[in-house]
Amino acid sequence: MNFKTPDLLDDNEDKTRDGSVRVVAPMFRRYGGRPAFSGRIVTLKLFEDNSLVRETFGEDGKGKVLVVDGGGSLRCALVGDQLAILAQKNGWEGVVVYGCIRDSDDINAIDLGVRALDTHPLKSVKKGAGERDVAVSFGGVTFRPGEWLYADADGIVVASASLL
């Protein structure tokens, strides 16, 4: 599936004006071996605890993108190479982390799209805290479970319905 986010926006100007297509603020760094990715959104809301990330990546992710609202914490990583391998194994298209990742060199060799604020070598705690399938907001956008996310070199676009 080939797309360019600028073309998606140009082709859907009316939906951008009515809010059904939104653009995430340019705050994320690109990681992972897949430069562009898209899929239906699955959300997690957590803080410095990646237990739900592991649990979710253990499920079938074909056609899905995990959006992790980590509260923007820069104090530990929420995704590392082992979780990225698990995500790839289970068919996830990508992950957007409003927080940090680690093992970035290894993640860059894995066929998974990854966007994160930055890297941090410290792993998170594992207490099982957090919420799944709730609306989360960051980067000027609210991400709702079941909506569509498109990410490429130019940015991240979220839409209430498929744009392809």
Side-chain angles (χ1 to χ4, degrees):
M1 171 183 328
N2 290 328
F3 66 88
K4 290 195 222 173
T5 55
D7 293 344
L8 291 177
L9 292 171
D10 290 352
D11 294 344
N12 292 280
E13 282 186 65
D14 56 329
K15 293 177 183 171
T16 304
R17 281 192 295 277
D18 75 15
S20 60
V21 174
R22 287 113 41 217
V23 180
V24 179
M27 55 199 287
F28 290 95
R29 298 173 117 192
R30 223 171 44 171
Y31 303 97
R34 189 177 293 182
F37 59 95
S38 65
R40 291 190 83 100
I41 295 172
V42 174
T43 63
L44 296 177
K45 184 175 181 72
L46 45 87
F47 189 72
E48 297 180 0
D49 180 343
N50 73 351
S51 304
L52 287 178
V53 177
R54 177 175 297 283
E55 182 180 308
T56 306
F57 277 160
E59 301 169 5
D60 178 19
K62 186 166 176 51
K64 298 176 189 172
V65 173
L66 184 60
V67 174
V68 180
D69 179 353
S73 174
L74 301 177
R75 299 188 313 189
C76 67
L78 296 172
V79 175
D81 60 344
Q82 295 304 307
L83 291 184
I85 290 167
L86 180 63
Q88 178 194 23
K89 176 183 159 207
N90 288 314
W92 287 86
E93 305 298 329
V95 59
V96 176
V97 181
Y98 184 48
C100 293
I101 66 163
R102 67 187 209 159
D103 306 310
S104 60
D105 285 341
D106 295 325
I107 287 175
N108 288 338
I110 297 169
D111 183 23
L112 180 71
V114 179
R115 300 294 184 273
L117 294 177
D118 213 328
T119 60
H120 197 294
L122 182 66
K123 67 181 176 180
S124 77
V125 298
K126 290 163 181 48
K127 295 181 180 176
E131 300 174 89
R132 180 175 170 162
D133 295 326
V134 296
V136 298
S137 298
F138 54 82
V141 167
T142 297
F143 302 79
R144 293 175 187 86
E147 289 189 323
W148 293 83
L149 184 144
Y150 302 87
D152 68 3
D154 290 311
I156 300 172
V157 172
V158 176
S160 56
S162 176
L163 300 178
L164 299 176

